Structures are given as structure tokens and as C-alpha cells.
Amino acid sequence: MDPKDSILIKERILKSVSKAWTLFLDLIFPIECLGCGREGVWLCESCRKTLRMNRRQYCLDCRKGSRSGRFCRHCRPGHHLDGLWIVGDYEQKLLAELIKKFKYDFIRDLGEPLGGFLLRFLRGRLFDSLKEGGGTEILRTFQETLIIPVPLHRRRFNWRGFNQAEVLARTVGGYFRLEMEVASLERTRYRRPQAKLGGRRRRENVRNCFAWRGEDLGGRNVILIDDVVTTGATLDEAARVLKENGAGEVWGLVAAKG
Ligand SMILES: [Zn+2]
Ligand SMILES: [Zn+2]
């Protein structure tokens, strides 16, 4: 073989080996923007701006539009939760990707951009309520609101290593300097994942799965934070337990409806 050819082959091998090595490293540490692939950040500034916030909220039960996010008059009696803010749209690929990576690939750092998404939404709500006056009770007395992340059962917590709702709640609560309670609402029952169950079964599946270990809430309003909502059964059951223990209004704040 011509020595020139042999050098060329060697170079090619080296190149492909180093390419494979880089790919391997990227698999382990692939910190790049989920939107555009830019290296070094999970979500770059320009992609962050493309995350769409829901302008309109709706009643989770009947889908009728609701300006405030409160359950409509017709559906309200069936709920312990007063209302729900669904910040984004799961149909938006980038948001769905962020949530999936955060939740199922255990990338805790994604809690920062996702938590930021929630807090910008809430800030907008507060501005609107100040500007227009009135608004909902919970926004009028916002500074006294208690932030509670929807807890995981210990088994699931140990498996994932963190509670994704708590990571989001810390970002939101930290920004607004709201008091946060993470230990008092406990998930006492380990139930199979809800994804496979229909609405009514979900309600049965979550019944009595929370216990409150703290003091009486003395009428304080609560914002329950979670990453996604599906039927709202889990949030509603948490709200039931909180109200049994003295909570005032209980609202949910989630990144999207799954
Ligand atoms: Zn980007
Ligand atoms: Zn309704």
C-alpha cells in the first residue's frame, strides 16, 4: 500500500474515533439548548422567548373560557381547588421537551428555566390584577400566600432523587419571597402512575393519598405547584386535605396540561 494512503486511512480512523468519543461525551454531558442546540445552556435566551404563555385560562372540567382561571360556576361545586393556572401549552414541542427532560431524564437544572416560566406568568397575573383592580382574592393578598409543591411519595422521591414540583416551587417562592412549606404535606400512599387511568379512576386512585402534618393553616391561601396537570384529581385531593386543615383559597399553578 502506498504510505500516503496508509496515513490517510489512519487519519480517517482517528477522526471517526474522536467523533465517536465526542458523541459519547455529548451523551453523558449534553448541555445544549433544547430549542436550537446552542452549547452550554439548556435553554438559550432567544429560545426562552419563544415559550408561549397561555393568554386565556379555562375551566378544567368543561373547557369553558375563564379569565381568572377559576372553575366555572357550574363546575366549581365539584372541586376543592378554587382555580388553576395552566401556564403553557404542551402542544408546543419545546415546552413538552423541557418538561420531559426535567421529569424523566432527571435533569434538575431544567427547573430553572421552567420555574422562570411559571414565575413570569404569575408576575403577569399580578400586574393585571393591580392594573385592573379587583381580581381574585388570592392575588389581592398575594404576599401572605403559602407556596406548597405537590409532594412525591418517598419511594418515588428516592427513585428520582428530587421532587420536580419542589424545584419549581423554590424558584417561584424565592422570587416573590413567599413562605414555602415542603415537609408538612406528605404523600402517604404509593399509587401506580396515573397516566393509564381515566378521570373517575384517577379520583379513586388519589383518594386519601395526602396527609397534612403541619399546624392549622388559619385561613391562609395556598398555591400548589406541580409540573403538569392531567385531570386535576391530584391537585384537587391535595386541596381537599389543605382545606380540611384550615386553608383559605387553594389554587394550582402548573407548566402545562399533559
Ligand atoms: Zn436556543
Ligand atoms: Zn366548567
Side-chain angles (χ1 to χ4, degrees), residues 38-67:
R38 187 181 300 171
E39 276 179 47
V41 284
W42 289 112
L43 188 66
C44 77
E45 194 57 23
S46 43
C47 290
R48 186 181 68 77
K49 287 181 188 148
T50 67
L51 282 181
R52 288 192 306 269
M53 271 178 206
N54 288 332
R55 285 252 179 105
R56 294 189 58 80
Q57 298 294 310
Y58 56 86
C59 170
L60 190 65
D61 272 8
C62 66
R63 299 300 172 96
K64 210 161 82 187
S66 156
R67 244 168 75 86

Side-chain angles (χ1 to χ4, degrees), residues 127-170:
F127 278 144
D128 287 350
S129 122
L130 277 175
K131 205 166 59 192
E132 294 161 11
T136 50
E137 208 309 286
I138 194 159
L139 295 177
R140 279 199 303 270
T141 55
F142 187 68
Q143 285 311 316
E144 284 119 68
T145 305
L146 185 64
I147 295 279
I148 301 182
V150 172
L152 293 178
H153 187 271
R154 193 173 306 143
R155 240 169 89 183
R156 185 152 299 184
F157 180 86
N158 291 339
W159 176 68
R160 187 173 284 140
F162 64 95
N163 176 2
Q164 73 278 11
E166 184 183 330
V167 176
L168 299 178
R170 284 196 189 281

